[in-house]
Amino acid sequence: MTQKFLWAVFLLSALYSCEPPTRLRVVDKNTPRDSVHYVGIAEEKSDIDLRKAQLLGTVKIGDRGATLDCHYADVLERACRNAGRIGGNLLVVTQHRRNQVKSNCHVLKAEIYAVSSLEGMESRMYWHPERRLRKGDLRGAPPETATGLPPLHTRLTCRLGGDFLREAFIRTETLFFPDSTYRPAEPRLAAIALRRAQLYFDLTEAQARLLKAQLVAIGPDLDRLVGEYRARTEEHVRQLRADQTALDAELSATSDAEAVLSRWEDKVQKSLKETEAYAGQQRVDLRKRKRAQ
């Protein structure tokens, strides 16, 4: 009995050490707040106006030296989840570093705010169905002489997490960078730029879901999953860039941008609906084995 108890304590300690230590401090613990599903991220406090924002608390994500899943995106996600629990919809990073000695984990400190609108507040945006782009989110500085379509940058990344013994997690990032583009001064062009930016963002999420569908189909074959996920990610990034280039080519070659945008919007929304099961993190049970043919 004693031996079993000691083993249980050991396993619990091991699992606990894999979780990054999180410290959440709330300014006013007596004020109940509804949880928030989407939390924006600001990485430079000096870039945004917080005079009308309400500070709700702070969060710190640390590292014990044996932490799993501690990439920057992982600690940001954990910090955002804690912010949403207390009703915060904006996470302002105040300190971020990567350990170099005991681990390669990222650690951060951040302030949690409630703001009336996230428009123009975020330095990077993660795709979420509740957070559509608004005109203020195209916040880059326009050039003195602008020709052609504004530049735009989205990013699709993929990584594997988990303990690789019982389960693996497939995580993708669909990112839009508000400072990578700008809003033209002419209202009609500004409206086109906003819809084009949202299409770029949605196309990136569509490819992320298609990628996860392919990887999940590999199943519990961990060696194959590890060996193929990078190459498959590159394939989908190439397809994404091809789709974005095709969209721009059509917009540049026509005077009816409305028709082009509407057709592409219908196409990408159909893809997102068909792949809705692959939104978010995907879990692969490594204990499953394929039946013999």
Side-chain angles (χ1 to χ4, degrees):
M1 179 65 72
T2 302
Q3 187 176 11
K4 290 182 178 180
F5 175 77
L6 291 175
W7 267 110
V9 171
F10 171 77
L11 290 174
L12 286 173
S13 299
L15 289 173
Y16 179 71
S17 67
C18 292
E19 291 289 327
T22 301
R23 181 182 300 170
L24 178 65
R25 292 181 174 175
V26 182
V27 172
D28 186 357
K29 298 180 180 180
N30 297 320
T31 303
R33 294 181 178 274
D34 294 331
S35 60
V36 173
H37 296 130
Y38 179 86
V39 178
I41 298 168
E43 294 172 295
E44 292 292 338
K45 189 174 181 178
S46 59
D47 284 351
I48 56 177
D49 185 358
L50 293 170
R51 288 176 296 179
K52 295 183 179 180
Q54 181 183 3
L55 178 64
L56 301 182
T58 61
V59 62
K60 177 182 178 182
I61 310 296
D63 173 31
R64 291 193 177 91
T67 304
L68 294 176
D69 304 334
C70 53
H71 292 80
Y72 186 42
D74 295 322
V75 297
L76 277 176
E77 180 186 12
R78 183 175 292 272
C80 286
R81 285 204 308 268
N82 280 274
R85 282 171 46 200
I86 63 172
N89 63 344
L90 178 65
L91 184 82
V92 180
V93 178
T94 56
Q95 182 179 332
H96 165 230
R97 63 181 173 85
R98 185 176 184 180
N99 285 334
Q100 301 293 330
V101 180
K102 62 180 180 179
S103 75
N104 290 319
C105 288
H106 293 258
V107 297
L108 67 78
K109 295 179 181 179
E111 296 172 343
I112 301 168
Y113 291 89
V115 296
S116 59
S117 173
L118 287 170
E119 182 177 357
M121 302 286 281
E122 298 170 79
S123 51
R124 63 169 64 196
M125 293 178 63
Y126 289 84
W127 193 95
H128 193 279
E130 295 182 9
R131 177 65 167 101
R132 310 299 285 172
L133 293 178
R134 303 182 68 176
K135 61 182 181 180
D137 295 319
L138 312 186
R139 65 181 208 174
E144 293 184 2
T145 56
T147 58
L149 297 168
L152 267 174
H153 182 55
T154 63
R155 181 186 298 169
L156 165 59
T157 66
C158 177
R159 64 189 187 283
L160 301 181
D163 58 23
F164 288 173
L165 295 174
R166 297 169 302 171
E167 59 188 8
F169 296 103
I170 303 168
R171 298 184 173 107
T172 59
E173 288 180 286
T174 299
L175 286 168
F176 171 77
F177 297 89
D179 294 333
S180 71
T181 190
Y182 64 88
R183 187 172 76 255
E186 203 274 310
R188 186 185 72 85
L189 295 179
I192 292 173
L194 179 60
R195 291 176 66 182
R196 171 175 169 260
Q198 186 65 64
L199 266 172
Y200 260 57
F201 208 2
D202 290 345
L203 282 166
T204 309
E205 173 64 13
Q207 286 298 326
R209 295 183 184 186
L210 292 171
L211 168 61
K212 283 181 283 191
Q214 281 191 357
L215 295 177
V216 168
I218 293 176
D221 189 340
L222 181 61
D223 290 340
R224 186 180 168 200
L225 193 62
V226 172
E228 294 186 16
Y229 86 93
R230 289 188 178 90
R232 289 179 181 259
T233 301
E234 292 174 0
E235 290 176 7
H236 283 272
V237 169
R238 284 194 293 269
Q239 183 58 55
L240 169 64
R241 300 308 177 208
D243 289 343
Q244 292 172 337
T245 299
L247 167 63
D248 287 351
E250 289 190 36
L251 287 172
S252 299
T254 184
S255 58
D256 191 0
E258 169 68 30
V260 172
L261 291 168
S262 295
R263 178 161 48 80
W264 276 83
E265 286 165 349
D266 290 343
K267 176 182 176 181
V268 73
Q269 289 304 316
K270 179 180 178 182
S271 177
L272 289 173
K273 184 175 181 180
E274 291 174 347
T275 55
E276 192 171 1
Y278 297 98
Q281 175 178 278
Q282 300 296 305
R283 176 181 176 273
V284 178
D285 188 347
L286 299 177
R287 295 170 296 185
K288 292 181 180 179
R289 293 292 181 267
K290 294 181 179 178
R291 294 180 180 177
Q293 298 294 327

